[in-house]
Amino acid sequence: MSEEATSNSIFTKDLLDACISCGFCLPACPTYALTGQEQSSPRGRITLMRLLETGDLAPDDPTLAEESSLCLGCRACETVCPAGVQYGHLLEEWRDEQWSGLKRPWIVRPLLLVANRKWVLRLLGLVRRSARKRRPSPDSDQPTLMLGCFERALFPSVSRNLAALDPTLAVDPDQGCCGALHAHNGDLDQGRDLARKLGERLPGTIVTTSGGCAAHLADVIGRDRVVEASEWLLKQNTDTDIRPLRVGLQDSCHLRNGLGVWKEPRELLGRTATYVELPSAGSCCGAAGTYALVRKKESKAILAKKIAEIEAADLDLVIAVNPGCLRQLQTGLRKSKSRTKAVHIVDYMRGHKG
């Protein structure tokens, strides 16, 4: 990605210039499907970005605030774009300008404060009993398990179970945030800085249990150093016992659309149960990081269709590869009183039955 920026220094020039306004992105965009409005599509939002960059729209124009917030950031548009537009990077730059300082949604601010403090993250892990300290041998290239910030508190079994599935993984409880939360919520410099620091703290291969973290970390420190849990387990796992279960999958948007990882979790699940492909498995569930907090109405509308689809498939389990997606699915399934349970793929591979 080029560092050359346009005159107003909000967007990277080559990224903004790459869009040819062809419209292939419109059918792939969940918010365009919700609203039917051009401005709520990737093409429409890039038009708004260009108007902001040229000064034809003032930074405080309400349309800019609305559309930078309404976008899920799922990057589905990138997979169908013939021009290779890096829309995810453009959105990060846009929110860096729109959500700076006090303009950042109030509900996001405490999350960033917590993620900035390693001692708080360590305390969360201790209280909730995430994976324990397991230092790598000196001068070794032993792979390290990345502990998700809020995953340590919400789903501590994920790191414990991955450490149990592969005892070769080192665990450093003093590691900080990877910065994905910051990069996606208007603090791009801090997000990249945190990723670089984590890469220095955890030398060698870093194994992640969060699709969003994996995509951000890979973008900053290099794809060769980052492996997502389903990729890792597929190489390590030899379990071929078929369980009497019907299981489906909800992709992580950033993992699928950003890193191109989607076959691996399906292969793992197909080895161990009757795998059922959900029609919209590859589309966003409405969690989208902080989106479910910032845009509750739209998030619920997207989730409702997903839950109805899961119910129609008569699944025992729906598997997630991202903690935000897992929380979103669990919330929706619980409210609908569904018999289907949502679990993380790591917990499932350790033998979780729901």
Side-chain angles (χ1 to χ4, degrees):
M1 183 176 69
S2 169
E3 295 300 323
E4 182 187 357
T6 50
S7 57
N8 288 338
S9 299
I10 297 172
F11 301 100
T12 304
K13 179 174 171 50
D14 354 1
L15 298 189
L16 201 56
D17 289 348
C19 178
I20 58 175
S21 300
C22 65
F24 276 81
C25 57
L26 272 65
C29 179
T31 52
Y32 179 73
L34 272 181
T35 67
Q37 299 295 313
E38 168 73 17
Q39 65 190 30
S40 299
S41 72
R43 180 176 68 180
R45 291 187 177 109
I46 289 176
T47 297
L48 292 174
M49 294 178 200
R50 286 170 170 163
L51 292 172
L52 171 63
E53 189 68 21
T54 60
D56 291 302
L57 275 180
D60 61 354
D61 187 287
T63 304
L64 295 174
E66 170 66 11
E67 289 303 330
S68 63
S69 171
L70 180 61
C71 181
L72 288 151
C74 68
R75 299 173 65 178
C77 52
E78 294 185 21
T79 66
V80 297
C81 179
V85 174
Q86 298 179 50
Y87 180 84
H89 288 302
L90 285 171
L91 179 64
E92 289 176 349
E93 293 178 346
W94 194 14
R95 286 184 176 169
D96 207 41
E97 185 274 334
Q98 286 284 299
W99 288 11
S100 62
L102 296 179
K103 294 187 291 183
R104 182 172 296 122
W106 67 267
I107 201 165
V108 173
R109 298 176 204 172
L111 300 180
L112 296 185
L113 287 174
V114 170
N116 281 338
R117 289 158 173 77
K118 287 202 295 183
W119 68 269
V120 177
L121 299 179
R122 178 176 178 129
L123 182 61
L124 289 174
L126 287 172
V127 171
R128 295 288 287 149
R129 296 180 60 247
S130 61
R132 295 184 178 183
K133 180 176 180 179
R134 188 193 290 164
R135 288 283 188 185
S137 305
D139 302 320
S140 83
D141 58 356
Q142 186 177 2
T144 305
L145 170 60
M146 194 194 96
L147 299 173
C149 295
F150 294 99
E151 185 184 76
R152 301 185 209 190
L154 294 174
F155 306 110
S157 63
V158 173
S159 59
R160 290 200 308 268
N161 282 333
L162 187 54
L165 284 166
D166 187 355
T168 69
L169 288 172
V171 180
D172 179 358
D174 291 324
Q175 61 186 272
C177 177
C178 75
L181 184 67
H182 302 73
H184 300 157
N185 288 279
D187 197 351
L188 186 52
D189 287 342
Q190 175 77 338
R192 290 172 176 169
D193 185 56
L194 286 170
R196 284 189 288 267
K197 287 179 178 176
L198 185 64
E200 293 167 0
R201 174 87 190 188
L202 309 179
T205 300
I206 300 174
V207 182
T208 78
T209 54
S210 167
C213 297
H216 172 71
L217 196 59
D219 184 59
V220 178
I221 70 170
R223 179 68 172 101
D224 59 317
R225 292 199 51 205
V226 180
V227 182
E228 184 270 333
S230 67
E231 293 182 285
W232 186 259
L233 289 174
L234 189 60
K235 295 177 182 178
Q236 312 296 321
N237 185 265
T238 57
D239 181 6
T240 55
D241 293 333
I242 300 295
R243 306 171 192 177
L245 297 170
R246 286 173 57 84
V247 302
L249 176 74
Q250 171 58 45
D251 281 299
S252 157
C253 292
H254 281 84
L255 186 65
R256 180 183 180 116
N257 302 329
L259 288 188
V261 176
W262 57 277
K263 294 180 181 178
E264 291 84 351
R266 286 166 170 78
E267 186 170 340
L268 276 177
L269 297 177
R271 288 181 179 184
T272 60
T274 299
Y275 177 71
V276 179
E277 180 70 22
L278 295 169
S280 71
S283 66
C284 189
C285 66
T290 60
Y291 192 86
L293 302 175
V294 176
R295 305 289 308 214
K296 292 183 179 181
K297 178 183 176 182
E298 291 83 5
S299 176
K300 288 178 180 178
I302 293 169
L303 177 61
K305 295 180 181 179
K306 187 78 63 173
I307 297 300
E309 189 176 279
I310 292 170
E311 289 280 84
D314 191 29
L315 300 177
D316 295 298
L317 300 174
V318 59
I319 308 299
V321 289
N322 191 69
C325 303
L326 178 57
R327 182 179 180 276
Q328 177 88 333
L329 293 171
Q330 287 181 342
T331 299
L333 291 168
R334 184 170 59 250
K335 287 183 177 180
S336 68
K337 295 182 171 53
S338 174
R339 79 171 191 89
T340 305
K341 304 298 181 185
V343 298
H344 195 283
I345 194 166
V346 170
D347 288 342
Y348 170 78
M349 292 305 295
R350 185 86 200 283
H352 188 85
K353 299 297 193 299

